[in-house]
Amino acid sequence: MTTVPITSADPVESDSILIASAEGVTLPAVLYGDADSAQAAVVVNSALGVPHAFYRTFASFLVRQGYCVLCYDYQHNAVQNVASLRGSRVRVTDWAQRDFAAAVRYLRTEVPGRPLICIGHSIGGQLPGLAGDAVGIDALIGVCSQSGEWRLWSGAARRRTWLQFHLIVPLFTAALGYFPGQRHGLCNMPRGVAWQWAHWCRLRGYATHPRAGHATGFSALRSPALFISTYDDQALAPREAVDALGALYLNAPRERLHIGAADVGGRAVGHFGFFNPATGRRLWPRLVKWLQSQPLKTGATCPMSEPTRA
């Protein structure tokens, strides 16, 4: 397998910026690389509770392959201040329809006329489908992105997942005004994010169930999509849950990549290790190779107006 030198000591061009979302909200972000010379633009959607800086080395690698990369934070994601979490009204659908849409609008303006690729980690790979028809991308890569439906887990993990979404998340969120996920092997979440997410995880079909409470756009995506799972991520994104999310994007030309222990020399990968440079040396070139094999077309569109709360 191909390996590449990756060093965070060799920085690439980057600019810290603020992206305007809805209702006066601004999102901290960093744009890596040169927008004028990039062959394509990449927006990185974070996992729950993960700040955008976590993806810095990965973004730098993509820049060296000719891409311009935007990493950003959703509103009140990766926030540890309890008062801010309790006062937040944000939901997962706001992250999709407002924040992700704002990031796409920004890149369409700054890197015009070139393909726009979304690389989503965990819940970040769900956001294009949750954004409805409002956001257009030219390719999607989901890294450990999964349907959260509890039935997709097995054994002890299935019992634990049932407890989380039927009892632990709803009860603690109702009692405290936010979900103290760090106490339960997850991350702290605003009340609206926790309630909406747990509600979907109790439903067959996840966010596409008729009782999910909103329209989704999973079927609207017709661009190439790659979904990646890892051999040792049974707790957060088992292979079956990644398969299930991919199936929701039923009109996209989809491919699957399952990373086995031999692919990483026996190293642990889990839910977060794909973005670790130690494993990235082996895995990131495969992602770029897939992108370069796709006939990406620029032409997906999204409205420039700000979405409003449903």
Side-chain angles (χ1 to χ4, degrees):
M1 180 177 295
T2 303
T3 60
V4 294
I6 300 172
T7 171
S8 58
D10 183 17
V12 300
E13 178 182 347
S14 64
D15 291 309
S16 296
I17 58 174
L18 293 174
I19 297 173
S21 186
E23 298 183 355
V25 171
T26 56
L27 311 174
V30 175
L31 184 66
Y32 297 89
D34 179 24
D36 293 331
S37 62
Q39 62 176 303
V42 174
V43 56
V44 177
N45 285 351
S46 303
L48 268 173
V50 178
H52 70 74
F54 175 75
Y55 306 96
R56 178 175 53 236
T57 306
F58 173 66
S60 298
F61 167 78
L62 292 178
V63 169
R64 296 187 185 96
Q65 313 309 309
Y67 298 90
C68 181
V69 184
L70 178 68
C71 298
Y72 71 106
D73 287 335
Y74 321 128
Q75 185 184 10
H76 295 147
N77 188 39
V79 169
Q80 301 307 318
N81 183 282
V82 171
S84 296
L85 290 170
R86 283 178 173 153
S88 176
R89 297 173 59 240
V90 72
R91 305 166 301 175
V92 181
T93 44
D94 295 322
W95 287 350
Q97 297 168 6
R98 297 180 175 199
D99 298 350
F100 173 55
V104 169
R105 287 195 299 271
Y106 176 85
L107 280 178
R108 288 289 184 200
T109 300
E110 294 296 316
V111 194
R114 278 153 288 178
L116 197 158
I117 301 149
C118 174
I119 299 178
H121 181 201
S122 194
I123 201 170
Q126 302 173 18
L127 297 192
L130 296 171
D133 295 330
V135 176
I137 54 176
D138 302 309
L140 169 64
I141 298 176
V143 178
C144 299
S145 294
Q146 73 287 63
S147 165
E149 183 186 334
W150 67 270
R151 298 168 186 84
L152 298 169
W153 276 252
S154 60
R158 186 177 189 181
R159 293 189 291 274
R160 185 192 65 250
T161 303
W162 188 95
L163 285 171
Q164 282 179 341
F165 298 132
H166 286 80
L167 296 176
I168 295 173
V169 175
L171 292 177
F172 275 89
T173 302
L176 300 177
Y178 78 104
F179 178 58
Q182 288 186 335
R183 304 180 191 176
H184 304 282
L186 296 169
C187 64
N188 294 345
M189 303 176 204
R191 175 176 52 194
V193 168
W195 274 347
Q196 190 174 50
W197 180 52
H199 174 57
W200 294 342
C201 291
R202 296 191 295 268
L203 301 175
R204 290 190 181 275
Y206 191 56
T208 63
H209 191 280
R211 288 196 288 117
H214 69 97
T216 63
F218 288 98
S219 62
L221 183 71
R222 299 180 183 274
S223 303
L226 173 67
F227 295 92
I228 301 172
S229 54
T230 68
Y231 76 97
D232 56 348
D233 193 14
Q234 293 88 351
L236 296 178
R239 192 170 187 169
E240 295 78 7
V242 175
D243 288 340
L245 179 67
L248 296 183
Y249 290 100
L250 71 165
N251 290 319
R254 304 184 304 278
E255 296 183 43
R256 279 286 275 114
L257 171 62
H258 183 71
I259 297 167
D263 294 323
V264 290
R267 289 179 178 270
V269 183
H271 199 62
F272 301 97
F274 182 92
F275 298 97
N276 184 329
T279 47
R281 289 183 174 89
R282 294 173 175 263
L283 301 177
W284 298 348
R286 299 178 70 173
L287 182 150
V288 172
K289 183 178 180 180
W290 181 84
L291 280 174
Q292 293 174 343
S293 71
Q294 302 304 308
L296 300 184
K297 299 178 181 179
T298 304
T301 60
C302 65
M304 299 305 292
S305 58
E306 293 181 347
T308 56
R309 180 178 291 273

Coordinates of all heavy atoms in Angstrom, one line a residue, residues 51-132:
P51 N -13.9 19.7 17.4 CA -13.6 21.0 16.8 C -12.9 20.9 15.4 O -12.2 19.9 15.1 CB -12.7 21.7 17.8 CG -12.1 20.5 18.5 CD -13.1 19.4 18.5
H52 N -13.0 21.9 14.6 CA -12.5 21.8 13.2 C -11.0 21.7 13.2 O -10.4 21.1 12.3 CB -12.9 23.0 12.4 CG -12.3 24.4 12.8 ND1 -11.0 24.7 12.6 CD2 -12.9 25.4 13.4 CE1 -10.8 25.9 13.0 NE2 -11.9 26.4 13.5
A53 N -10.3 22.1 14.3 CA -8.8 22.0 14.3 C -8.3 20.6 14.3 O -7.2 20.3 13.9 CB -8.3 22.8 15.5
F54 N -9.2 19.7 14.7 CA -8.9 18.2 14.7 C -8.5 17.8 13.3 O -7.6 16.8 13.1 CB -10.0 17.4 15.2 CG -9.9 15.9 15.2 CD1 -9.1 15.3 16.1 CD2 -10.5 15.2 14.2 CE1 -8.9 13.9 16.1 CE2 -10.4 13.8 14.2 CZ -9.6 13.1 15.1
Y55 N -9.0 18.4 12.3 CA -8.8 17.9 10.9 C -7.7 18.7 10.2 O -7.5 18.6 9.0 CB -10.1 18.1 10.1 CG -11.3 17.4 10.8 CD1 -12.1 18.1 11.6 CD2 -11.4 16.0 10.6 CE1 -13.2 17.4 12.3 CE2 -12.5 15.3 11.3 CZ -13.3 16.1 12.1 OH -14.4 15.4 12.8
R56 N -6.9 19.5 10.9 CA -5.9 20.4 10.3 C -4.9 19.6 9.5 O -4.6 20.0 8.4 CB -5.2 21.1 11.5 CG -4.1 22.1 11.0 CD -3.6 22.9 12.2 NE -3.2 22.0 13.3 CZ -3.7 22.1 14.5 NH1 -4.6 23.1 14.8 NH2 -3.3 21.3 15.5
T57 N -4.3 18.5 10.0 CA -3.3 17.8 9.3 C -3.8 17.1 8.0 O -3.2 17.1 7.0 CB -2.6 16.8 10.2 OG1 -2.1 17.4 11.4 CG2 -1.4 16.1 9.5
F58 N -5.0 16.6 8.2 CA -5.7 16.0 7.0 C -6.0 17.1 5.9 O -5.7 16.8 4.8 CB -7.0 15.4 7.5 CG -7.9 14.9 6.4 CD1 -7.5 13.8 5.6 CD2 -9.2 15.5 6.1 CE1 -8.4 13.3 4.6 CE2 -10.0 15.0 5.1 CZ -9.6 13.9 4.3
A59 N -6.4 18.2 6.3 CA -6.6 19.3 5.4 C -5.3 19.7 4.7 O -5.3 20.0 3.5 CB -7.3 20.5 6.1
S60 N -4.3 19.8 5.4 CA -3.0 20.1 4.9 C -2.5 19.1 3.8 O -2.0 19.5 2.8 CB -1.9 20.3 6.0 OG -2.3 21.3 6.9
F61 N -2.8 17.8 4.1 CA -2.5 16.8 3.1 C -3.3 17.0 1.8 O -2.7 16.9 0.7 CB -2.8 15.4 3.7 CG -2.8 14.3 2.7 CD1 -1.6 13.8 2.2 CD2 -4.0 13.8 2.2 CE1 -1.6 12.8 1.3 CE2 -4.0 12.8 1.2 CZ -2.8 12.3 0.8
L62 N -4.5 17.3 1.9 CA -5.4 17.5 0.8 C -4.9 18.8 0.0 O -4.9 18.7 -1.3 CB -6.8 17.7 1.1 CG -7.5 16.5 1.7 CD1 -9.0 16.8 2.1 CD2 -7.5 15.3 0.7
V63 N -4.4 19.8 0.7 CA -3.9 21.0 0.0 C -2.7 20.6 -0.9 O -2.6 21.0 -2.0 CB -3.6 22.1 1.0 CG1 -2.8 23.2 0.3 CG2 -4.8 22.6 1.6
R64 N -1.9 19.7 -0.4 CA -0.7 19.3 -1.1 C -1.0 18.4 -2.3 O -0.2 18.3 -3.2 CB 0.3 18.6 -0.2 CG 0.9 19.5 0.9 CD 1.9 18.8 1.7 NE 2.4 19.6 2.8 CZ 1.9 19.5 4.0 NH1 1.0 18.5 4.3 NH2 2.3 20.3 5.0
Q65 N -2.3 18.0 -2.4 CA -2.8 17.2 -3.5 C -3.5 18.1 -4.5 O -4.1 17.6 -5.5 CB -3.7 16.0 -3.1 CG -3.1 15.2 -1.9 CD -1.7 14.7 -2.2 OE1 -1.4 14.2 -3.2 NE2 -0.8 15.0 -1.2
G66 N -3.6 19.4 -4.2 CA -4.2 20.3 -5.2 C -5.6 20.8 -4.8 O -6.3 21.4 -5.6
Y67 N -6.0 20.6 -3.5 CA -7.4 20.9 -3.1 C -7.3 22.2 -2.2 O -6.3 22.4 -1.5 CB -8.1 19.8 -2.4 CG -8.3 18.6 -3.3 CD1 -7.3 17.6 -3.3 CD2 -9.4 18.4 -4.1 CE1 -7.4 16.4 -4.1 CE2 -9.6 17.3 -4.9 CZ -8.6 16.3 -4.9 OH -8.7 15.2 -5.7
C68 N -8.4 22.9 -2.2 CA -8.6 24.0 -1.2 C -9.7 23.4 -0.2 O -10.7 22.9 -0.6 CB -9.2 25.2 -2.0 SG -9.5 26.6 -0.9
V69 N -9.4 23.6 1.1 CA -10.1 22.9 2.1 C -10.7 23.8 3.1 O -9.9 24.7 3.7 CB -9.3 21.8 2.8 CG1 -10.1 21.0 3.8 CG2 -8.6 20.9 1.8
L70 N -12.0 23.7 3.4 CA -12.6 24.5 4.5 C -13.0 23.6 5.6 O -13.7 22.6 5.5 CB -13.9 25.2 3.9 CG -14.7 26.0 4.9 CD1 -13.9 27.3 5.3 CD2 -16.1 26.4 4.3
C71 N -12.5 23.9 6.8 CA -12.8 23.3 8.0 C -13.6 24.3 8.9 O -13.1 25.4 9.1 CB -11.6 22.7 8.8 SG -10.7 21.5 7.9
Y72 N -14.7 23.9 9.5 CA -15.5 24.9 10.3 C -16.2 24.2 11.4 O -16.3 23.0 11.5 CB -16.5 25.6 9.3 CG -17.6 24.6 8.9 CD1 -18.9 24.8 9.4 CD2 -17.4 23.6 7.9 CE1 -19.9 23.9 9.0 CE2 -18.4 22.8 7.5 CZ -19.7 22.9 8.1 OH -20.7 22.1 7.7
D73 N -16.7 25.0 12.3 CA -17.5 24.5 13.5 C -19.0 24.8 13.3 O -19.3 25.9 12.9 CB -17.0 25.1 14.8 CG -15.7 24.6 15.2 OD1 -15.3 23.5 14.9 OD2 -15.0 25.3 16.0
Y74 N -19.8 23.8 13.5 CA -21.2 24.1 13.6 C -21.5 24.9 14.9 O -20.8 24.9 15.8 CB -22.1 22.8 13.7 CG -21.6 21.6 12.9 CD1 -21.4 20.4 13.5 CD2 -21.4 21.8 11.5 CE1 -21.0 19.3 12.7 CE2 -20.9 20.7 10.8 CZ -20.7 19.4 11.4 OH -20.3 18.4 10.6
Q75 N -22.6 25.6 14.9 CA -23.0 26.4 16.0 C -23.1 25.5 17.3 O -23.9 24.5 17.3 CB -24.3 27.1 15.8 CG -24.7 28.1 16.9 CD -26.0 28.7 16.7 OE1 -26.8 28.3 15.8 NE2 -26.4 29.7 17.6
H76 N -22.4 25.8 18.3 CA -22.4 25.1 19.6 C -22.0 23.7 19.6 O -22.3 22.9 20.5 CB -23.8 25.3 20.3 CG -24.2 26.7 20.6 ND1 -25.5 27.2 20.6 CD2 -23.4 27.7 21.0 CE1 -25.5 28.5 20.9 NE2 -24.2 28.8 21.2
N77 N -21.3 23.3 18.5 CA -20.7 21.9 18.5 C -19.3 22.1 19.2 O -18.7 23.1 19.0 CB -20.5 21.4 17.1 CG -20.1 19.9 17.1 OD1 -20.5 19.1 17.9 ND2 -19.2 19.6 16.2
A78 N -18.9 21.1 19.9 CA -17.6 21.1 20.6 C -17.5 22.2 21.6 O -16.4 22.7 21.9 CB -16.4 21.2 19.6
V79 N -18.6 22.7 22.2 CA -18.6 23.7 23.2 C -18.7 23.0 24.6 O -19.5 22.1 24.7 CB -19.9 24.6 23.0 CG1 -20.0 25.5 24.2 CG2 -19.7 25.5 21.8
Q80 N -17.9 23.4 25.5 CA -17.9 22.8 26.8 C -18.6 23.7 27.9 O -18.8 23.2 29.0 CB -16.4 22.5 27.2 CG -15.7 21.6 26.3 CD -16.5 20.3 26.0 OE1 -17.1 19.7 26.9 NE2 -16.5 19.9 24.7
N81 N -18.8 24.9 27.6 CA -19.4 25.8 28.5 C -20.9 25.4 28.7 O -21.7 25.5 27.8 CB -19.4 27.3 28.0 CG -19.9 28.3 29.0 OD1 -21.1 28.4 29.1 ND2 -19.0 28.9 29.7
V82 N -21.2 25.0 29.9 CA -22.6 24.5 30.2 C -23.6 25.5 30.0 O -24.7 25.2 29.5 CB -22.6 23.9 31.6 CG1 -24.0 23.6 32.0 CG2 -21.7 22.7 31.8
A83 N -23.4 26.8 30.4 CA -24.4 27.9 30.2 C -24.7 28.0 28.7 O -25.9 28.2 28.3 CB -23.9 29.2 30.8
S84 N -23.7 28.0 27.9 CA -23.9 28.1 26.4 C -24.7 26.9 25.9 O -25.6 27.1 25.1 CB -22.6 28.2 25.7 OG -21.9 29.4 26.0
L85 N -24.4 25.7 26.4 CA -25.2 24.6 25.9 C -26.6 24.6 26.4 O -27.6 24.3 25.6 CB -24.5 23.3 26.5 CG -23.2 22.9 25.9 CD1 -22.5 21.8 26.6 CD2 -23.3 22.5 24.4
R86 N -26.9 25.1 27.6 CA -28.2 25.1 28.1 C -29.0 26.2 27.4 O -30.2 26.1 27.2 CB -28.2 25.4 29.6 CG -27.9 24.2 30.4 CD -27.9 24.5 31.9 NE -27.7 23.3 32.7 CZ -27.1 23.3 33.9 NH1 -26.7 24.4 34.5 NH2 -27.1 22.2 34.6
G87 N -28.4 27.3 27.0 CA -29.1 28.4 26.3 C -29.3 28.2 24.8 O -29.9 29.0 24.2
S88 N -28.7 27.1 24.3 CA -28.7 26.9 22.8 C -30.1 26.3 22.4 O -30.6 25.4 23.0 CB -27.6 26.0 22.4 OG -27.7 25.7 21.0
R89 N -30.6 26.8 21.2 CA -31.8 26.3 20.6 C -31.4 25.4 19.4 O -32.3 25.0 18.7 CB -32.7 27.4 20.2 CG -33.2 28.2 21.4 CD -34.0 29.4 21.0 NE -35.2 29.1 20.1 CZ -35.3 29.5 18.9 NH1 -34.4 30.2 18.3 NH2 -36.4 29.1 18.2
V90 N -30.2 25.2 19.1 CA -29.8 24.6 17.9 C -30.1 23.1 17.8 O -30.1 22.5 18.8 CB -28.2 24.8 17.6 CG1 -27.4 24.0 18.6 CG2 -27.8 24.5 16.2
R91 N -30.5 22.7 16.6 CA -30.8 21.3 16.4 C -29.9 20.7 15.3 O -29.2 21.5 14.6 CB -32.2 21.1 15.9 CG -33.3 21.7 16.9 CD -34.6 21.8 16.2 NE -34.5 22.7 15.0 CZ -35.5 22.9 14.1 NH1 -36.7 22.3 14.3 NH2 -35.4 23.7 13.1
V92 N -29.9 19.4 15.1 CA -29.1 18.8 14.0 C -29.5 19.4 12.7 O -28.6 19.7 11.8 CB -29.2 17.3 14.0 CG1 -28.3 16.7 12.9 CG2 -28.8 16.7 15.4
T93 N -30.8 19.6 12.5 CA -31.2 20.1 11.2 C -30.8 21.5 11.0 O -30.6 21.9 9.8 CB -32.8 20.0 11.1 OG1 -33.3 20.5 12.3 CG2 -33.2 18.6 10.8
D94 N -30.5 22.3 12.0 CA -29.9 23.6 11.8 C -28.5 23.5 11.4 O -28.1 24.3 10.5 CB -30.0 24.4 13.2 CG -31.4 24.7 13.6 OD1 -32.3 25.0 12.8 OD2 -31.7 24.6 14.8
W95 N -27.8 22.6 11.9 CA -26.4 22.4 11.4 C -26.4 22.0 9.9 O -25.5 22.5 9.2 CB -25.7 21.2 12.2 CG -25.4 21.5 13.6 CD1 -25.4 22.7 14.2 CD2 -24.9 20.6 14.6 NE1 -25.0 22.6 15.5 CE2 -24.7 21.3 15.8 CE3 -24.7 19.2 14.6 CZ2 -24.3 20.7 16.9 CZ3 -24.3 18.6 15.7 CH2 -24.0 19.3 16.9
A96 N -27.4 21.3 9.5 CA -27.4 20.9 8.1 C -27.9 22.0 7.2 O -27.3 22.4 6.2 CB -28.3 19.7 7.9
Q97 N -29.1 22.6 7.5 CA -29.8 23.5 6.7 C -29.3 24.9 6.8 O -29.5 25.8 5.9 CB -31.3 23.5 7.0 CG -31.9 22.1 6.7 CD -33.3 22.0 7.2 OE1 -33.9 22.9 7.8 NE2 -33.9 20.8 7.2
R98 N -28.6 25.2 7.9 CA -28.0 26.6 8.0 C -26.5 26.6 7.9 O -25.9 27.2 7.1 CB -28.4 27.1 9.4 CG -29.9 27.3 9.5 CD -30.3 27.9 10.9 NE -31.7 28.2 11.0 CZ -32.2 29.0 11.9 NH1 -31.4 29.6 12.8 NH2 -33.5 29.2 12.0
D99 N -25.8 25.8 8.8 CA -24.4 25.9 8.9 C -23.7 25.3 7.7 O -22.8 25.9 7.1 CB -23.9 25.3 10.2 CG -24.5 26.1 11.4 OD1 -25.1 27.1 11.3 OD2 -24.3 25.6 12.6
F100 N -24.0 24.0 7.4 CA -23.5 23.4 6.3 C -23.8 24.1 5.0 O -22.9 24.3 4.1 CB -24.0 21.9 6.2 CG -23.5 21.2 5.0 CD1 -22.2 21.1 4.6 CD2 -24.5 20.5 4.2 CE1 -21.8 20.4 3.4 CE2 -24.1 19.9 3.0 CZ -22.8 19.8 2.7
A101 N -25.0 24.6 4.9 CA -25.4 25.3 3.7 C -24.6 26.6 3.6 O -24.2 27.0 2.5 CB -26.9 25.6 3.7
A102 N -24.3 27.2 4.7 CA -23.5 28.5 4.7 C -22.1 28.2 4.2 O -21.5 28.9 3.5 CB -23.5 29.1 6.1
A103 N -21.5 27.0 4.7 CA -20.2 26.7 4.3 C -20.1 26.4 2.8 O -19.1 26.8 2.1 CB -19.7 25.4 5.1
V104 N -21.1 25.7 2.3 CA -21.2 25.5 0.8 C -21.3 26.8 0.0 O -20.6 27.0 -1.0 CB -22.3 24.5 0.5 CG1 -22.6 24.4 -1.0 CG2 -22.1 23.1 1.1
R105 N -22.1 27.7 0.5 CA -22.3 29.0 -0.2 C -20.9 29.7 -0.2 O -20.6 30.3 -1.2 CB -23.3 29.8 0.5 CG -24.8 29.4 0.2 CD -25.7 30.5 0.6 NE -25.6 30.8 2.0 CZ -26.3 30.3 3.0 NH1 -27.1 29.2 2.7 NH2 -26.2 30.6 4.3
Y106 N -20.2 29.7 0.9 CA -18.9 30.3 1.0 C -18.0 29.8 0.0 O -17.3 30.5 -0.8 CB -18.4 30.2 2.4 CG -17.0 30.8 2.6 CD1 -16.8 32.1 2.8 CD2 -15.8 30.0 2.4 CE1 -15.5 32.7 2.9 CE2 -14.6 30.5 2.5 CZ -14.4 31.9 2.8 OH -13.2 32.4 2.9
L107 N -17.9 28.4 -0.1 CA -16.9 27.8 -1.1 C -17.4 28.1 -2.5 O -16.5 28.3 -3.4 CB -16.8 26.3 -0.8 CG -15.9 26.0 0.4 CD1 -15.9 24.5 0.6 CD2 -14.5 26.5 0.1
R108 N -18.6 28.1 -2.8 CA -19.1 28.3 -4.1 C -18.7 29.7 -4.6 O -18.4 30.0 -5.8 CB -20.6 28.2 -4.2 CG -21.1 26.7 -4.2 CD -20.8 25.9 -5.4 NE -21.4 24.6 -5.3 CZ -20.9 23.6 -6.0 NH1 -19.9 23.7 -6.8 NH2 -21.5 22.4 -6.0
T109 N -18.6 30.6 -3.6 CA -18.2 32.0 -3.9 C -16.7 32.1 -4.0 O -16.2 32.8 -5.0 CB -18.7 33.0 -2.9 OG1 -20.2 32.9 -2.8 CG2 -18.4 34.4 -3.2
E110 N -16.0 31.5 -3.1 CA -14.5 31.7 -3.1 C -13.8 30.8 -4.1 O -12.7 31.2 -4.5 CB -14.0 31.4 -1.6 CG -14.5 32.3 -0.6 CD -14.0 33.7 -0.8 OE1 -12.8 33.9 -1.1 OE2 -14.8 34.7 -0.7
V111 N -14.4 29.7 -4.4 CA -13.7 28.7 -5.3 C -14.7 28.4 -6.5 O -15.2 27.3 -6.6 CB -13.3 27.4 -4.6 CG1 -12.3 26.7 -5.5 CG2 -12.6 27.8 -3.3
P112 N -15.1 29.4 -7.3 CA -16.1 29.2 -8.3 C -15.7 28.3 -9.4 O -14.5 28.3 -9.8 CB -16.4 30.7 -8.7 CG -15.1 31.4 -8.6 CD -14.5 30.8 -7.3
G113 N -16.7 27.7 -10.0 CA -16.4 27.0 -11.3 C -15.6 25.7 -11.1 O -15.2 25.1 -12.1
R114 N -15.5 25.2 -9.9 CA -14.8 23.9 -9.7 C -15.6 23.0 -8.8 O -16.5 23.4 -8.0 CB -13.4 24.2 -9.0 CG -12.3 24.6 -10.0 CD -11.2 25.4 -9.4 NE -11.7 26.8 -9.1 CZ -10.9 27.7 -8.6 NH1 -9.7 27.4 -8.2 NH2 -11.4 28.9 -8.3
P115 N -15.3 21.7 -8.9 CA -16.1 20.7 -8.1 C -16.0 21.0 -6.6 O -15.0 21.5 -6.1 CB -15.5 19.4 -8.4 CG -14.9 19.6 -9.8 CD -14.4 21.0 -9.8
L116 N -17.1 20.8 -5.9 CA -17.2 20.9 -4.5 C -17.5 19.6 -3.8 O -18.5 19.0 -4.1 CB -18.3 22.0 -4.1 CG -18.2 22.5 -2.7 CD1 -18.9 23.9 -2.6 CD2 -18.7 21.6 -1.6
I117 N -16.5 19.2 -3.0 CA -16.6 17.8 -2.4 C -16.9 18.0 -0.9 O -16.2 18.8 -0.2 CB -15.2 17.1 -2.6 CG1 -14.9 17.0 -4.1 CG2 -15.2 15.8 -1.9 CD1 -13.5 17.0 -4.4
C118 N -17.8 17.2 -0.4 CA -18.0 17.1 1.1 C -17.4 15.9 1.6 O -17.6 14.8 1.2 CB -19.5 17.2 1.4 SG -19.9 16.9 3.1
I119 N -16.5 16.0 2.6 CA -16.0 14.9 3.4 C -16.5 15.0 4.8 O -16.2 16.0 5.6 CB -14.4 14.9 3.4 CG1 -13.9 14.8 2.0 CG2 -13.9 13.8 4.3 CD1 -12.4 14.8 1.9
G120 N -17.4 14.1 5.2 CA -18.1 14.2 6.4 C -17.6 13.1 7.4 O -17.6 11.9 7.0
H121 N -17.3 13.5 8.6 CA -16.9 12.5 9.6 C -18.1 12.2 10.5 O -18.7 13.2 11.1 CB -15.8 13.1 10.4 CG -15.2 12.2 11.5 ND1 -14.5 12.7 12.6 CD2 -15.3 10.8 11.7 CE1 -14.2 11.7 13.3 NE2 -14.7 10.5 12.8
S122 N -18.5 11.0 10.7 CA -19.6 10.6 11.5 C -20.9 11.3 11.1 O -21.3 11.3 10.0 CB -19.2 10.8 13.0 OG -20.1 10.2 13.9
I123 N -21.5 12.1 12.0 CA -22.7 12.8 11.7 C -22.5 13.8 10.5 O -23.5 14.2 9.8 CB -23.3 13.6 13.0 CG1 -24.8 13.9 12.8 CG2 -22.5 14.9 13.2 CD1 -25.4 14.4 14.0
G124 N -21.3 14.2 10.3 CA -21.0 15.1 9.2 C -21.3 14.6 7.8 O -21.6 15.3 6.9
G125 N -21.3 13.2 7.7 CA -21.7 12.6 6.5 C -23.2 12.5 6.3 O -23.7 12.2 5.2
Q126 N -24.0 12.8 7.4 CA -25.4 12.8 7.3 C -26.0 14.2 6.8 O -27.1 14.3 6.3 CB -26.0 12.5 8.7 CG -25.6 11.2 9.3 CD -26.1 11.0 10.7 OE1 -27.0 11.7 11.1 NE2 -25.5 10.1 11.4
L127 N -25.2 15.2 7.1 CA -25.7 16.6 6.9 C -26.2 16.9 5.4 O -27.2 17.6 5.3 CB -24.7 17.6 7.3 CG -24.3 17.6 8.8 CD1 -23.5 18.9 9.2 CD2 -25.5 17.4 9.7
P128 N -25.5 16.4 4.4 CA -26.0 16.7 3.0 C -27.4 16.1 2.8 O -28.2 16.7 2.2 CB -25.0 16.0 2.1 CG -23.7 16.0 2.9 CD -24.1 15.8 4.3
G129 N -27.7 15.0 3.4 CA -29.1 14.4 3.3 C -30.1 15.1 4.2 O -31.2 15.3 3.8
L130 N -29.6 15.6 5.3 CA -30.5 16.3 6.2 C -30.8 17.8 5.8 O -31.7 18.4 6.3 CB -29.9 16.4 7.6 CG -29.8 15.0 8.3 CD1 -29.0 15.1 9.6 CD2 -31.2 14.4 8.6
A131 N -29.9 18.3 4.8 CA -30.1 19.6 4.4 C -31.3 19.8 3.4 O -31.5 20.9 2.9 CB -28.8 20.1 3.7
G132 N -31.9 18.7 3.0 CA -33.0 18.8 2.1 C -32.4 19.0 0.7 O -31.3 18.6 0.3

